[in-house]
Amino acid sequence: MFSPLRSTCYGLTLACAISSTIIGFIAAFIDDPVVVRTRGFGLCLGVFSFFAWLWISILTAYHDHEPNPKDVLSRAPVHTTSYAIMVPPWLAFGIGLLVQAPRACSTETDDPAKCGLIVTSGLLSIVGAFLAASCIFAVRRSDTSANNGKPEAYAEYTPLRTALYALTLTATVLTSTFGLAAAPLDTFAPHLSAFGICISVVSLPGWIWLSILTSYHMRPDANQFLTRASTHFYTFVAMIPPFLAFGIGTLSQQSYNCNTTQYSDGSAPGWCGVTVVAGGLSLLVAVLSAATALAIQLSRAGTGLQRNVCLKSGDSAEKLGDDLVVSAAADA
């Protein structure tokens, strides 16, 4: 059942978690003896927020479609418990960072950028805690666990597809991160920076789009563009060539950076690691995309790719499949 309050809380918490991840990792690089604990709190905030927003993305995918007894992730206790677990760490990391703010903003450091970064990261963490608490209230208020005792007639929980979506999304985010790490490196490899930029340019919009598709991959009651199997299938098919090409291209540079005979002032092992991991992750995204596209194509749902991506065969599926075909024709 759709709930505007719950959807708003989920969206704001997800946005806050992503922002906390970015700014937390940035704060982790602050090297100042005056605010020595900022690096630890920033790293903790970044790591925790990263996994938090991945999990929130999954919860968001299940928060507003018709209840299904087979869907563990659509049960209210799973959502309320998840958000309850998020509140204490975010609150603790936020307080820990704000405790460092007076020193960072004092005349002793005289660095407005550092002061603003620490204050912003601390406030974002605390805001995340309050938003997570608001999600608990929204879930309990909307009673998402009610299904009137009737199992879903045409929706089928597909743990394989859900797992593939989550794995592909995670791998794409990591690929984007390592692509950005490889882009500015001045290494022995002549083309590593170019491939790093290419990987980042493809990965960034890729994982944003995958996050959207993941939130629509289990909505049997919806009849729209983002729930059609064709949208999901062709997205994953389109991801295969670029990630495969850039992965191979990046790994072709490892022979330069993994050559231990050249003097690099100790930097070569790091260059080698970034090159191999970035290339390997890019290839992994290509493989996972192919597996996900295959899972969608071979699913038992409906009639062709104009069906809802999560329908199974049956009268209800065929009926909704016909509706989707008509809708597609009307759109054309």
Side-chain angles (χ1 to χ4, degrees):
M1 182 182 297
F2 177 72
S3 168
L5 174 62
R6 191 175 67 247
S7 297
T8 301
C9 289
Y10 276 51
L12 290 175
T13 308
L14 178 60
C16 185
I18 294 175
S19 301
S20 296
T21 301
I22 297 172
I23 201 166
F25 281 125
I26 294 175
F29 286 97
I30 294 179
D31 188 11
D32 192 327
V34 177
V35 285
V36 66
R37 295 184 180 87
T38 300
R39 301 186 68 177
F41 283 120
L43 182 61
C44 290
L45 175 62
V47 171
F48 177 78
S49 298
F50 173 74
F51 289 104
W53 75 255
L54 288 179
W55 182 240
I56 293 172
S57 298
I58 296 173
L59 293 181
T60 303
Y62 288 86
H63 88 286
D64 67 348
H65 62 73
E66 289 297 324
N68 186 343
K70 295 181 180 180
D71 292 349
V72 176
L73 292 175
S74 66
R75 297 175 184 172
V78 175
H79 289 240
T80 54
T81 302
S82 297
Y83 286 111
I85 292 174
M86 295 177 192
V87 174
W90 264 332
L91 198 58
F93 299 148
I95 294 173
L97 284 165
L98 290 179
V99 167
Q100 306 296 309
R103 292 184 178 182
C105 300
S106 66
T107 55
E108 185 178 355
T109 56
D110 193 24
D111 192 340
K114 189 179 299 181
C115 170
L117 179 63
I118 294 175
V119 172
T120 303
S121 59
L123 289 177
L124 270 176
S125 186
I126 291 178
V127 169
F130 280 104
L131 286 173
S134 69
C135 287
I136 298 174
F137 169 77
V139 171
R140 293 180 64 87
R141 188 172 184 271
S142 59
D143 192 22
T144 57
S145 62
N147 62 2
N148 298 322
K150 297 179 180 179
E152 181 57 62
Y154 55 86
E156 182 178 34
Y157 176 53
T158 52
L160 173 62
R161 185 161 51 83
T162 299
L164 287 172
Y165 274 58
L167 289 173
T168 308
L169 176 60
T170 303
T172 308
V173 172
L174 293 175
T175 303
S176 176
T177 303
F178 279 93
L180 289 172
L185 292 180
D186 183 14
T187 69
F188 297 133
H191 305 300
L192 179 61
S193 294
F195 283 120
I197 293 173
C198 291
I199 288 177
S200 303
V201 169
V202 173
S203 300
L204 182 59
W207 68 256
I208 293 175
W209 179 241
L210 284 180
S211 299
I212 297 173
L213 289 185
T214 301
S215 68
Y216 282 87
H217 92 288
M218 195 59 194
R219 297 191 183 190
D221 54 319
N223 178 4
Q224 51 187 293
F225 172 74
L226 290 173
T227 61
R228 292 176 189 166
S230 58
T231 303
H232 293 242
F233 176 78
Y234 291 121
T235 291
F236 287 106
V237 168
M239 289 176 63
I240 298 172
F243 281 103
L244 187 63
F246 296 145
I248 294 173
T250 303
L251 289 177
S252 70
Q253 305 297 297
Q254 61 86 22
S255 59
Y256 297 96
N257 289 333
C258 298
N259 185 354
T260 57
T261 61
Q262 299 186 69
Y263 177 74
S264 63
D265 194 23
S267 300
W271 297 343
C272 176
V274 170
T275 304
V276 172
V277 173
L281 282 172
S282 186
L283 292 180
L284 178 62
V285 172
V287 172
L288 288 172
S289 297
T292 308
L294 184 63
I296 295 172
Q297 179 66 34
L298 297 180
S299 65
R300 298 185 295 122
T303 55
L305 291 175
Q306 289 299 328
R307 56 176 166 80
N308 187 299
V309 71
C310 68
L311 295 186
K312 68 179 181 180
S313 55
D315 294 336
S316 297
E318 292 173 1
K319 180 180 183 301
L320 189 52
D322 292 339
D323 292 341
L324 288 171
V325 172
V326 172
S327 176
D331 292 341

